[in-house]
Amino acid sequence: MLSVVRNAIKNPIFVVIIGLMIVSFALWGVNDIFQAPGTAVTTVGNERVTVYELSRDFDRAVQREREENPSYTQEQARADGLGDTVLNQLVLDAMLRSQARSLGISASNAAVRNEIIGFEAFVDPITGGFDRLGYQNYLASAGQRENQFEEEIRNDIVLRQLTEGLFDGIRQPDVYRTILTRYLSETRDLEALIISPSAAGEIGEPTDEQLQTTIDENPQFFTTPARRGFTIMRLRIEDYLGNVTVDETQIAEQYEYELEVGAIGTPATRTYTQISFDNESAAREAAERLGNDEDPAAIAADLGGNPPSRQEDRQSYQVPDEQVRDALFEMAAGDTIAVETRFGSWFAIVVEAAQDDDIPTLEERSAEIRDELARAAAEDALYADLGAYEEARGSGFNIEESALAADLPYAVYQPVDNQGRDDDGRFAFVFFQEQDVLEAIFASPTLIDGELTEYGDGNFFAARVDVVEEPRVRTLEEARDDAETVWRLQEIDSRLEALANEVVELVESGQTLDAIAAANPDFRVEQASLRRDQTADNFSRQVVSLAFGLDVGEMEATRTGSGRSHMVLRVNAARDGEIPQPEVLAQVEDFLNQGYRRDIDSSLVSALYREFDYDGSAVNVQLRDQALGVVDPNAIQ
């Protein structure tokens, strides 16, 4: 990679590009190069929502969704309106920032610094101090620069200062608290007759007509996903790393270079006070008095020395006089010395603090240096191949021809879905782990050779969609086994539902649940006393919610929590809570606070939109779609 850059610098065209970049820095400033006016998706007051912010927050929102649903794609997110939700939040934040600035609310550099060093992720587990390397690694993994992250923190602090004041001192009426406490403390005695699946009896064989009806009435169970077949050329850094050899000489040379420029470890430092004299005797007397903790200024005045000079956390290269430097870095905290400089004058010195160096040895650094050098060599090789591939593409070759010309591998894949599964449900190669590649393929037009695209950590690919298979309902012969499974489950469910309704009729005719259960080995009775927020065995959250909607003595046929069994549920009694439990009181406070916050939030949002007369018409649709990764400009209206 470094050699590519060095070679490029020799090219006069590259020099012109650098010149243009310098001009852009001069116009916009380095910190604001990604905040130029042309990157504003929309503007609210004096605040702007940029392409970078929208793209960043949209990616984060998609990642949060993937924590619950790993197969969730950006395409789904756009279809679900997640991009609009993110943009609306950014617009609201911009309104709040504008209001905060008009009120003089701001966040100082010190506040931003304290916020960042307070993050647990940036605390060194050994020293307890700020982990600068951990901070930089986080920014690298998040694709952010320091100024971007710090500006994000600054905005968060400003918004907190503005909004937290809105909620201070909230006190809800006691009558609300009392009513809600009684509501949440209520306990109901529940009784249910459970009907297990075995009560359905033997299920015969379905006819073809029944199976076809099952498919027709439940197409969602039998529809094949959209699939795409494609040709792809991939260059992955890990493939190149396996061919790189780093010898010990290279490692030693790199280690010596790091030592020379002070790039590794913690250098030795000294904090000291020095007084300059023109004779040895005065300097020695001053050194002795410094050792007795006398005031340096007073010593200098008494003995005719120059005013004392205090130097804090100085490294050896920062001490210009070699004789003074050699003596100073042999001293410990509290030591004093009189030393002659190379110019014949004398210094009386007292060391106030001493930090010895902590430099890793070659052995300790060897593995990391080996990885770094191997990575650099692998990148050089990868970029050389990229250059050969692009040269072939520039000659008019397609993906396969260009790969062959550059002596690179390519692959042709039969249709797979957006998870990388073929029509047998098997995962094709590693695409399950490379969702970025699949998302790009499923967003690409058909029969057009794609450009080289970077993904992951230094990997590249180019792909062409060759075949598109649209979703379709499978035929009976294709789906026979699955259709039979669904038919049987539905048949069992139908029979259990009929049995539950029969039980309700028997109870209404005067029989007890216990007597009915005793007459059928596939029936059993369960009981529980629960509050609204509690569950037990077959009394799932849905069942409990249903129970609290029934009157005492009322029955309801429903499914159990697992959904496999059915039940006849009855409420036998409803009792007020006696002394509210701590968890109930906590729920009451949380519920009331959230309710009030929602009301205030709603009023605040309405007021801000009126204040800024904002209706969304000022959104730059092209930049919005660019930030959300929209390929088809008509995909979002």
Side-chain angles (χ1 to χ4, degrees):
M1 180 65 177
L2 294 177
S3 64
V4 172
V5 174
R6 285 195 293 268
N7 292 333
I9 292 175
K10 300 175 184 177
N11 190 319
I13 296 176
F14 189 82
V15 174
V16 173
I17 294 172
I18 291 295
L20 292 174
M21 290 175 64
I22 292 172
V23 171
S24 72
F25 291 163
L27 288 174
W28 305 113
V30 176
N31 289 340
D32 291 332
I33 187 168
F34 292 100
Q35 304 293 328
T39 65
V41 175
T42 188
T43 302
V44 182
N46 294 324
E47 299 294 325
R48 296 161 39 253
V49 176
T50 65
V51 170
Y52 166 76
E53 291 170 331
L54 179 56
S55 176
R56 176 199 66 198
D57 286 12
F58 179 63
D59 287 344
R60 290 176 179 174
V62 172
Q63 285 301 119
R64 287 194 295 270
E65 292 293 332
R66 283 179 180 165
E67 291 175 4
E68 298 293 330
N69 179 11
S71 64
Y72 196 72
T73 65
Q74 287 196 350
E75 184 178 355
Q76 289 175 279
R78 291 189 290 267
D80 292 343
L82 187 60
D84 290 335
T85 300
V86 171
L87 177 57
N88 290 339
Q89 183 60 54
L90 286 170
V91 168
L92 180 58
D93 289 348
M95 292 177 178
L96 290 169
R97 287 199 307 272
S98 183
Q99 289 291 86
R101 298 192 199 289
S102 68
L103 295 172
I105 299 174
S106 62
S108 66
N109 291 337
V112 173
R113 176 183 178 277
N114 292 336
E115 183 88 0
I116 292 175
I117 65 177
F119 287 174
E120 186 175 347
F122 304 150
V123 175
D124 189 308
I126 299 176
T127 66
F130 179 64
D131 183 358
R132 181 74 187 178
L133 180 60
Y135 178 50
Q136 292 173 336
N137 288 340
Y138 167 80
L139 293 177
S141 65
Q144 284 186 292
R145 298 188 304 279
E146 284 192 37
N147 66 308
Q148 292 172 336
F149 181 70
E150 289 165 7
E151 186 63 20
E152 189 177 337
I153 297 300
R154 189 184 308 278
N155 288 333
D156 285 345
I157 294 173
V158 168
L159 294 182
R160 284 206 307 269
Q161 290 182 78
L162 177 65
T163 57
E164 286 178 357
L166 296 172
F167 302 105
D168 287 344
I170 289 178
R171 172 66 184 177
Q172 301 84 9
D174 287 339
V175 64
Y176 285 2
R177 185 173 285 97
T178 300
I179 294 172
L180 187 57
T181 301
R182 291 182 60 185
Y183 175 82
L184 294 176
S185 298
E186 180 186 353
T187 300
R188 293 203 166 194
D189 296 337
L190 310 181
E191 185 175 22
L193 185 142
I194 310 298
I195 305 172
S196 64
S198 57
E202 290 293 326
I203 305 295
E205 294 298 321
T207 64
D208 284 358
E209 290 75 17
Q210 288 174 313
L211 293 180
Q212 187 61 56
T213 299
T214 299
I215 293 174
D216 293 341
E217 293 179 351
N218 304 276
Q220 68 275 20
F221 297 141
F222 307 102
T223 300
T224 63
R227 293 193 177 94
R228 293 194 167 200
F230 52 93
T231 299
I232 186 169
M233 189 283 298
R234 288 186 303 160
L235 298 179
R236 299 186 301 171
I237 193 70
E238 64 186 59
D239 296 331
Y240 287 82
L241 286 171
N243 299 322
V244 173
T245 300
V246 179
D247 62 44
E248 299 303 317
T249 302
Q250 292 175 289
I251 295 174
E253 289 175 352
Q254 177 65 20
Y255 178 76
E256 291 300 323
Y257 171 75
E258 292 177 346
L259 286 180
E260 181 181 340
V261 300
I264 57 173
T266 303
T269 61
R270 294 292 185 270
T271 297
Y272 59 95
T273 296
Q274 63 185 21
I275 308 172
S276 175
F277 295 92
D278 59 9
N279 64 86
E280 179 181 359
S281 60
R284 292 192 180 280
E285 182 178 350
E288 183 177 350
R289 292 174 64 177
L290 286 171
N292 294 327
D293 293 331
E294 293 188 36
D295 178 52
I299 296 173
D302 289 348
L303 301 178
N306 291 321
S309 171
R310 186 175 186 274
Q311 307 295 321
E312 186 171 359
D313 293 333
R314 309 296 279 184
Q315 298 180 36
S316 61
Y317 75 89
Q318 295 173 307
V319 182
D321 191 288
E322 183 178 348
Q323 294 175 217
V324 175
R325 179 172 65 243
D326 292 344
L328 185 62
F329 280 86
E330 291 294 327
M331 300 166 66
D335 288 353
T336 62
I337 195 173
V339 59
E340 185 179 13
T341 72
R342 61 182 175 178
F343 300 109
S345 61
W346 286 78
F347 280 167
I349 299 175
V350 58
V351 175
E352 299 171 16
Q355 173 66 55
D356 292 332
D357 61 23
D358 181 16
I359 308 296
T361 65
L362 174 59
E363 290 72 21
E364 292 170 334
R365 279 283 296 148
S366 179
E368 190 171 351
I369 291 176
R370 186 186 305 278
D371 290 343
E372 292 170 357
L373 293 178
R375 174 82 184 197
E379 286 182 345
D380 283 349
L382 184 148
Y383 275 87
D385 284 346
L386 283 180
Y389 175 86
E390 284 287 76
E391 184 177 354
R393 286 280 289 134
S395 300
F397 291 172
N398 62 21
I399 288 176
E400 304 97 303
E401 294 166 339
S402 298
L404 290 173
D407 196 23
L408 297 174
Y410 71 91
V412 178
Y413 284 90
Q414 296 305 307
V416 297
D417 64 15
N418 62 4
Q419 295 301 303
R421 294 171 296 204
D422 61 20
D423 56 1
D424 291 326
R426 296 171 300 191
F427 285 105
F429 208 48
V430 295
F431 292 118
F432 177 72
Q433 299 171 328
E434 296 185 347
Q435 281 292 316
D436 291 346
V437 176
L438 283 175
E439 284 185 11
I441 289 171
F442 272 80
S444 299
T446 309
L447 301 177
I448 296 178
D449 290 280
E451 299 299 323
L452 274 173
T453 303
E454 185 173 8
Y455 73 101
D457 187 13
N459 306 316
F460 291 83
F461 78 93
R464 181 187 63 246
V465 177
D466 302 317
V467 179
V468 174
E469 293 183 358
E470 299 296 344
R472 65 177 180 84
V473 178
R474 290 180 289 167
T475 65
L476 175 58
E477 291 310 309
E478 291 173 322
R480 180 176 294 277
D481 291 342
D482 292 338
E484 185 171 340
T485 298
V486 173
W487 177 83
R488 289 184 181 279
L489 290 174
Q490 291 180 336
E491 186 69 15
I492 291 172
D493 189 73
S494 176
R495 294 186 184 186
L496 296 184
E497 182 178 2
L499 288 173
N501 291 330
E502 288 179 16
V503 169
V504 171
E505 293 177 0
L506 291 173
V507 173
E508 290 176 344
S509 67
Q511 296 189 39
T512 66
L513 292 177
D514 286 332
I516 297 170
N520 193 318
D522 295 313
F523 294 177
R524 69 180 186 278
V525 174
E526 294 184 5
Q527 296 177 332
S529 295
L530 303 171
R531 295 197 308 267
R532 296 175 190 271
D533 62 324
Q534 295 178 320
T535 60
D537 296 331
N538 284 295
F539 298 95
S540 65
R541 188 169 300 279
Q542 292 78 11
V543 171
V544 173
S545 177
L546 173 63
F548 274 84
L550 300 176
D551 293 331
V552 174
E554 192 174 356
M555 289 183 298
E556 185 79 27
T558 186
R559 290 182 177 85
T560 61
S562 67
R564 296 180 63 247
S565 301
H566 278 241
M567 66 162 55
V568 175
L569 175 68
R570 182 172 63 190
V571 178
N572 288 336
R575 295 174 282 107
D576 287 340
E578 298 175 356
I579 300 176
Q581 300 296 316
E583 61 267 25
V584 171
L585 296 177
Q587 288 179 34
V588 169
E589 293 302 320
D590 185 58
F591 184 88
L592 289 174
N593 286 334
Q594 287 186 22
Y596 268 70
R597 282 179 177 268
R598 282 194 298 270
D599 291 343
I600 294 175
D601 281 345
S602 177
S603 299
L604 176 62
V605 170
S606 299
L608 287 171
Y609 272 78
R610 287 195 302 271
E611 172 74 18
F612 289 95
D613 191 23
Y614 187 85
D615 60 4
S617 60
V619 171
N620 185 317
V621 176
Q622 183 178 2
L623 291 179
R624 178 202 65 184
D625 291 354
Q626 175 187 327
L628 299 180
V630 177
V631 176
D632 179 5
N634 299 315
I636 296 180
Q637 299 295 333

